[in-house]
Amino acid sequence: MKAILVGFALLCAGCERVPETAARVAPDADAPLLAEIRSIPAIDNHAHPVRPTVDGQAPDRDYDALPVDNLEPASDPVRTRPAAPELARARAQVTRGDPAKVLDQLGIGTMLANRVAMGSGLPPDRFLWVPYADALMYPLANDAMIHNSDRKAFFALEETLLKRYYSESGVAARPATLDEYLGKVVRATLERHKQGGAVAEKFEMAYLRPLDIGNPAKAEAEAAWAGRGPHKALQDYIFRFIAAECGRLGMAVHFHTGAGAGSYFDVAGSNPMLLEPLLDDASLRRTNFVFLHGGWPFERQATALLMKPNAYADFSAQNFFNYPGELARTIRAWLEYVPEHVLFATDAYPYSAEAGWEETGYVAAATGREALAIALTGMLRDGEITRARASELARMVLRDNARALYQLK
Ligand SMILES: [Zn+2]
């Protein structure tokens, strides 16, 4: 193997691209297992597909409640930079256009589409809706939470989305009481989402405030509603109301966990360990919580939370900015602990004209599959599992765990 790699190095002296085969061969992966993993149509737990542009219509902006294309500049991780060879390879492999055909090229059967609204163009037999619930948590003035230009842009977007939720709920102005707001705007919005086919509600809370959700008394929340107390108590109270409603309606709660976009992103505040009190709250045990992105760089801490009956993690985004070897170590640790709670996902996202959701999805899907194969191969070679169990674990991560979680056919 070393000789082959040296050969590539000589062959490639002076060229900047990683040779196609060197990156695709995944030397630490058992070849038949990798082939099997590549043949399984996946359920993608989290992604941002974009509707194809129709002539005369404005470009789609519903692919994220908080699009990250207008932030102050940050230093991008190496693997996500425009010149990354992985992206060049993806551009060569993926044909844009028909979203269902894009899924076919990515080996994805069903994609959970995290979007403000679905609109037309994303066929409902392939794309399942995950709308956003953050806006409902911030019904008062948010000036005190704005410390930089990124937050300013984010809260403006949440305030616009909250207006949309008011209007869709048929409520013209902020109700006099918190109870009225919870019933007529919050519950009404969640029920509308459920009616519209939503399988989960997504929180981008980590972009707006830390994930340290308290358990305030209703009186504290009502005081804040009346302008006589800290807004955090109100936010936390509303969040718990939403989480309980999601349990009642059979929708999961998705959290962005771990590092995020932008140079002001509060990484420490995104640690999924901050969510442990929610997982331990007996009154919320009907609600399933999903840590999107697996909480990286706290992914090892997140491992311990997977033993809670209602805690799940996916490895989306990690499979875009991390290399297969590093991701394989994470997946292996999760699979050795509670494999039933591990989900495949891409976080396919339109970052730029060159890196659309199609290409970032392709890189993430290919990397995720290679990493899964490397993780299972290591477990197989160390005598932890049989070959039959390796196949079974692959199907669970790629498809069956999500099927059970969202009660899909
Ligand atoms: Zn995302």
Side-chain angles (χ1 to χ4, degrees), residues 159-235:
E159 285 161 12
T160 303
L161 184 53
L162 181 58
K163 278 192 192 130
R164 183 167 169 170
Y165 287 163
Y166 263 90
S167 142
E168 288 172 358
S169 305
V171 176
R174 194 158 74 83
T177 67
L178 175 58
D179 271 335
E180 255 185 290
Y181 174 71
L182 293 175
K184 290 182 179 167
V185 181
V186 178
R187 179 179 284 134
T189 297
L190 300 173
E191 287 180 345
R192 216 167 42 246
H193 287 171
K194 173 74 180 176
Q195 284 291 314
V199 296
E201 288 286 343
K202 160 82 177 296
F203 285 89
E204 298 184 300
M205 193 185 297
Y207 282 92
L208 303 163
R209 50 156 279 183
L211 302 182
D212 61 334
I213 299 153
N215 194 5
K218 188 173 187 184
E220 290 178 72
E222 284 178 325
W225 182 264
R228 286 182 278 103
H231 288 191
K232 183 175 182 298
L234 178 64
Q235 292 164 19

Side-chain angles (χ1 to χ4, degrees), residues 30-214:
D30 175 88
L33 191 56
L34 180 58
E36 183 184 348
I37 284 170
R38 285 179 172 156
S39 75
I40 300 170
I43 296 175
D44 183 345
N45 183 63
H46 174 69
H48 304 266
V50 179
R51 284 194 282 111
T53 307
V54 179
D55 284 343
Q57 280 183 19
D60 181 20
R61 290 291 286 174
D62 280 346
Y63 59 79
D64 193 354
L66 304 177
V68 295
D69 50 3
N70 286 313
L71 306 182
E72 279 190 32
S75 301
D76 294 330
V78 168
R79 203 174 186 244
T80 67
R81 294 177 188 177
E86 287 81 2
L87 279 171
R89 202 156 46 236
R91 280 194 291 276
Q93 297 287 333
V94 183
T95 314
R96 292 184 182 184
D98 178 350
K101 286 206 177 113
V102 172
L103 292 198
D104 292 342
Q105 295 173 85
L106 271 51
I108 292 169
T110 306
M111 176 177 269
L112 270 62
N114 188 198
R115 295 177 49 84
V116 174
M118 289 300 272
S120 58
L122 299 169
D125 61 328
R126 303 292 297 274
F127 294 90
L128 299 176
W129 189 28
V130 179
Y132 295 85
D134 295 279
L136 298 164
M137 283 176 61
Y138 310 99
L140 306 180
N142 296 304
D143 312 68
M145 301 178 75
I146 296 168
H147 311 295
N148 56 61
S149 57
D150 291 0
R151 283 268 177 96
K152 190 172 178 193
F154 288 154
F155 274 105
L157 288 159
E158 296 296 2
E159 285 161 12
T160 303
L161 184 53
L162 181 58
K163 278 192 192 130
R164 183 167 169 170
Y165 287 163
Y166 263 90
S167 142
E168 288 172 358
S169 305
V171 176
R174 194 158 74 83
T177 67
L178 175 58
D179 271 335
E180 255 185 290
Y181 174 71
L182 293 175
K184 290 182 179 167
V185 181
V186 178
R187 179 179 284 134
T189 297
L190 300 173
E191 287 180 345
R192 216 167 42 246
H193 287 171
K194 173 74 180 176
Q195 284 291 314
V199 296
E201 288 286 343
K202 160 82 177 296
F203 285 89
E204 298 184 300
M205 193 185 297
Y207 282 92
L208 303 163
R209 50 156 279 183
L211 302 182
D212 61 334
I213 299 153

Side-chain angles (χ1 to χ4, degrees), residues 102-409:
V102 172
L103 292 198
D104 292 342
Q105 295 173 85
L106 271 51
I108 292 169
T110 306
M111 176 177 269
L112 270 62
N114 188 198
R115 295 177 49 84
V116 174
M118 289 300 272
S120 58
L122 299 169
D125 61 328
R126 303 292 297 274
F127 294 90
L128 299 176
W129 189 28
V130 179
Y132 295 85
D134 295 279
L136 298 164
M137 283 176 61
Y138 310 99
L140 306 180
N142 296 304
D143 312 68
M145 301 178 75
I146 296 168
H147 311 295
N148 56 61
S149 57
D150 291 0
R151 283 268 177 96
K152 190 172 178 193
F154 288 154
F155 274 105
L157 288 159
E158 296 296 2
E159 285 161 12
T160 303
L161 184 53
L162 181 58
K163 278 192 192 130
R164 183 167 169 170
Y165 287 163
Y166 263 90
S167 142
E168 288 172 358
S169 305
V171 176
R174 194 158 74 83
T177 67
L178 175 58
D179 271 335
E180 255 185 290
Y181 174 71
L182 293 175
K184 290 182 179 167
V185 181
V186 178
R187 179 179 284 134
T189 297
L190 300 173
E191 287 180 345
R192 216 167 42 246
H193 287 171
K194 173 74 180 176
Q195 284 291 314
V199 296
E201 288 286 343
K202 160 82 177 296
F203 285 89
E204 298 184 300
M205 193 185 297
Y207 282 92
L208 303 163
R209 50 156 279 183
L211 302 182
D212 61 334
I213 299 153
N215 194 5
K218 188 173 187 184
E220 290 178 72
E222 284 178 325
W225 182 264
R228 286 182 278 103
H231 288 191
K232 183 175 182 298
L234 178 64
Q235 292 164 19
D236 293 358
Y237 190 86
I238 296 171
F239 172 83
R240 283 173 172 273
F241 179 85
I242 296 171
E245 282 293 292
C246 285
R248 180 179 72 81
L249 293 165
M251 295 192 286
V253 168
H254 282 191
F255 269 102
H256 172 105
T257 61
S263 58
Y264 291 113
F265 186 88
D266 172 21
V267 180
S270 73
N271 189 338
M273 203 54 82
L274 294 168
L275 301 171
E276 191 176 17
L278 293 178
L279 303 168
D280 291 343
D281 185 334
S283 72
L284 291 177
R285 278 281 159 100
R286 281 179 72 191
T287 306
N288 289 311
F289 295 92
V290 186
F291 311 139
L292 307 182
H293 326 313
W296 187 93
F298 310 107
E299 78 284 355
R300 291 306 170 102
Q301 296 182 33
T303 311
L305 296 178
L306 295 180
M307 66 172 283
K308 316 281 185 186
N310 53 347
Y312 295 77
D314 77 30
F315 46 78
S316 62
Q318 287 190 54
N319 44 15
F320 185 54
F321 58 75
N322 282 341
Y323 290 87
E326 170 63 8
L327 178 59
R329 286 186 280 277
T330 301
I331 294 178
R332 179 168 173 171
W334 289 355
L335 291 184
E336 287 174 343
Y337 204 60
V338 184
E340 297 79 8
H341 291 188
V342 181
L343 306 165
F344 171 91
T346 61
D347 201 17
Y349 196 93
Y351 285 105
S352 64
E354 299 76 32
W357 72 277
E358 302 93 336
E359 290 81 21
T360 56
Y362 183 88
V363 171
T367 303
R369 283 190 161 93
E370 272 182 35
L372 177 59
I374 295 168
L376 291 170
T377 301
M379 293 165 75
L380 196 59
R381 288 180 183 160
D382 288 347
E384 296 172 17
I385 53 172
T386 63
R387 187 163 283 275
R389 179 63 173 162
S391 294
E392 186 180 31
L393 287 171
R395 289 194 302 273
M396 285 162 59
V397 172
L398 285 161
R399 208 175 53 193
D400 295 344
N401 290 344
R403 244 181 214 163
L405 172 59
Y406 303 109
Q407 298 177 354
L408 308 176
K409 282 179 199 136

